[in-house]
Amino acid sequence: MDAQNGRHVVGGGQALTGTDVAIRNVPTDLRGNLVMEGHPVASIKLDIPHGDNHSVTIMSSTTTAPRETPEFVDHELVIREARRRQHRRLAWMGLGLAIFVAVAAIVAAASSATKASPHHAKVVLPSAPKSPRPLPTGSIVALKIAGPLAVGPTGSLYVAAESQHEILVRLADGEFSDVAGDGTAGFSGDGGLATKAELSSVSAMSFAPNGDLYLADGTRVRVVEPNGTIHTIAGDGRAGGPVANGAPALSASLGPVVAVTTSPGGRLFFATSTQIFRLSSAGTLQTIPAIATLYAGKTIAANELVSIAVDAHGTVFASAAFAGWSVYRVAPDGVATNLGYARRSGGQPAILQRSPEDTIEADSGPYLEHVEANRLVRTPGVLTSTSITSVNDVPGITQFIFMDYFAFAPDGTLYADNMPTSGFDPYQQIVSVTSGQGASLWRGAPGT
């Protein structure tokens, strides 16, 4: 009797540890309680060596019957059962190890992907959400001078307050609240709230269908996401020469970005004064073929680009100061067509926008002109059923001679501001035109 372990030890030598039983010189692992209390183990010959220690360990109260009758379990069955249980344990251990390795591989892959694609460098083609919402707002701000305009997916009007270095949204009560910019000129705040970020000089802005607001901010393109955070997605903040096709967007030295727009499918396009780019899903820049025009008997590349728009077919339209305020169509194969001339007051090239009907519109003084075939024609009724072509002649609008920036809401409403200090209008305004009826939404101080 092994008093320490409470086990019977039969045979010469010392007891095996645990519940190992050596039968016919075959060490057998019985940790699965094969030898149970009160269960007889038959046909174990104790007068021959069993295992290295010439002994058998039997659990307490287990009866043994060496040289016993056949009704007891045969020891060969005991050995086979022990091995079966051992194989089953090994199989479960192998399965557990395989699951652990698979989970570890998935976690490692996810961690690697996160490190390789930081949020601000990741470019995902946007898609329209089921329920678009306005951008988060900050404090109420008094607008001083209105600049570029944009309309969000919900129909809210956004204004770039150029002298205040902020992006404002017009609220239902007619006041303005900031959605980007802290009022300080500069560059900061990427990855944080847009209302806490510094903006340089926003020259253009455009909404994607999913609610992302893209900004042409100085020498960078930045995006304000629907959750209110801001990121840089193109430009390293430095001036440079021509950017090569396929260059990484974030490390490209763009120089001043003058225009930004999105296609109906959400693809981002932007322009410097000399190049037009499309941002790929891989975060690289795809250059649009240079616009060639005939000037003084020579075919040369147009420059001094100011505004761009893209229709549902992926065709790019651009306005430029070169060659007399021209508007061009650039087909996907790079073939460019000069469509005519359009300019704002003061000698500025036209601003281009895509209407809800997918026409390309250009502002030319107090009028809108749209692309029809290979030419610009005056848009009747400012996209209404009337014959009015001048915003100044729309009922409800006065003292509005020359449009500066404009934008369309999803329902077709036209928003426009006039040029500040134009010498023709006593003050700057933001107006709306819906179904032939106009309204003045904001007026600046006299002389602005």
Side-chain angles (χ1 to χ4, degrees):
M1 174 71 177
D2 182 348
Q4 181 178 0
N5 298 317
R7 295 173 171 82
H8 293 288
V9 180
V10 183
Q14 298 182 4
L16 298 176
T17 60
T19 54
D20 292 325
V21 177
I23 302 176
R24 289 189 178 180
N25 240 5
V26 180
T28 304
D29 183 2
L30 299 180
R31 289 185 177 87
N33 295 327
L34 176 64
V35 181
M36 299 178 293
E37 293 186 7
H39 187 84
V41 178
S43 302
I44 301 179
K45 296 182 179 181
L46 302 179
D47 55 352
I48 62 174
H50 295 284
D52 296 336
N53 294 319
H54 302 270
S55 63
V56 177
T57 302
I58 307 297
M59 297 292 294
S60 179
S61 301
T62 300
T63 60
T64 62
R67 305 183 185 91
E68 272 294 356
T69 57
E71 68 261 13
F72 291 96
V73 179
D74 187 79
H75 68 277
E76 294 292 342
L77 295 177
V78 173
I79 295 173
R80 286 197 296 271
E81 178 64 10
R83 286 176 176 170
R84 185 185 68 80
R85 296 192 180 193
Q86 185 178 36
H87 292 163
R88 186 172 62 183
R89 283 195 300 275
L90 291 175
W92 279 108
M93 290 173 62
L95 178 61
L97 180 60
I99 294 174
F100 175 81
V101 171
V103 171
I106 293 173
V107 171
S111 175
S112 175
T114 300
K115 293 178 180 179
S117 301
H119 184 73
H120 70 273
K122 184 179 179 181
V123 180
V124 180
L125 297 183
S127 58
K130 293 181 180 179
S131 300
R133 62 185 186 275
L135 296 175
T137 59
S139 57
I140 299 298
V141 176
L143 174 62
K144 296 178 181 178
I145 298 177
L149 305 177
V151 180
T154 62
S156 298
L157 174 65
Y158 293 79
V159 184
E162 295 177 297
S163 64
Q164 297 165 261
H165 306 285
E166 292 178 289
I167 306 300
L168 310 179
V169 60
R170 184 176 184 272
L171 305 176
D173 60 5
E175 292 192 293
F176 292 90
S177 178
D178 65 321
V179 296
D182 64 359
T184 304
F187 170 73
S188 70
D190 269 3
L193 288 177
T195 52
K196 304 297 183 182
E198 294 179 352
L199 300 179
S200 177
S201 176
V202 175
S203 58
M205 55 185 183
S206 179
F207 273 96
N210 71 341
D212 285 343
L213 175 59
Y214 292 104
L215 307 175
D217 184 25
T219 55
R220 298 175 175 87
V221 178
R222 305 175 79 179
V223 59
V224 180
E225 299 180 346
N227 62 7
T229 59
I230 188 170
H231 302 279
T232 297
I233 57 174
D236 62 2
R238 296 181 294 179
V243 177
N245 185 53
L250 286 170
S251 59
S253 298
L254 300 172
V257 180
V258 299
V260 63
T261 191
T262 57
S263 69
R267 295 296 297 271
L268 174 65
F269 294 74
F270 64 92
T272 64
S273 64
T274 58
Q275 286 184 286
I276 303 174
F277 303 97
R278 178 174 54 243
L279 185 64
S280 75
S281 58
T284 58
L285 298 180
Q286 300 172 344
T287 58
I288 305 300
I291 300 173
T293 185
L294 186 64
Y295 182 75
K298 298 180 181 179
T299 301
I300 58 177
N303 53 22
E304 300 180 62
L305 299 171
V306 170
S307 185
I308 59 174
V310 181
D311 67 12
H313 303 288
T315 302
V316 178
F317 297 81
S319 66
F322 181 80
W325 309 280
S326 299
V327 176
Y328 300 89
R329 175 198 289 117
V330 186
D333 61 2
V335 176
T337 303
N338 190 323
L339 303 174
Y341 307 102
R343 68 172 183 174
R344 295 172 285 167
S345 177
Q348 294 296 316
I351 296 298
L352 304 182
Q353 295 282 6
R354 182 185 68 252
S355 75
E357 290 78 15
D358 199 44
T359 59
I360 301 301
E361 304 284 335
D363 58 350
S364 185
Y367 309 106
L368 282 180
E369 297 183 342
H370 68 273
V371 177
E372 186 176 288
N374 289 328
R375 62 191 181 120
L376 288 172
V377 298
R378 187 160 296 176
T379 301
V382 197
L383 297 186
T384 70
S385 59
T386 71
S387 60
I388 297 172
T389 57
S390 170
V391 176
N392 192 57
D393 297 329
V394 174
I397 298 177
T398 59
Q399 305 294 327
F400 190 99
I401 302 299
F402 291 106
M403 272 190 292
D404 194 7
Y405 295 96
F406 71 102
F408 293 102
D411 65 359
T413 295
L414 169 70
Y415 294 98
D417 58 24
N418 56 350
M419 299 195 70
T421 62
S422 65
F424 295 95
D425 299 326
Y427 42 75
Q428 191 187 29
Q429 293 186 78
I430 297 176
V431 300
S432 67
V433 179
T434 304
S435 300
Q437 181 63 44
S440 179
L441 306 180
W442 168 86
R443 291 182 181 182
T448 61

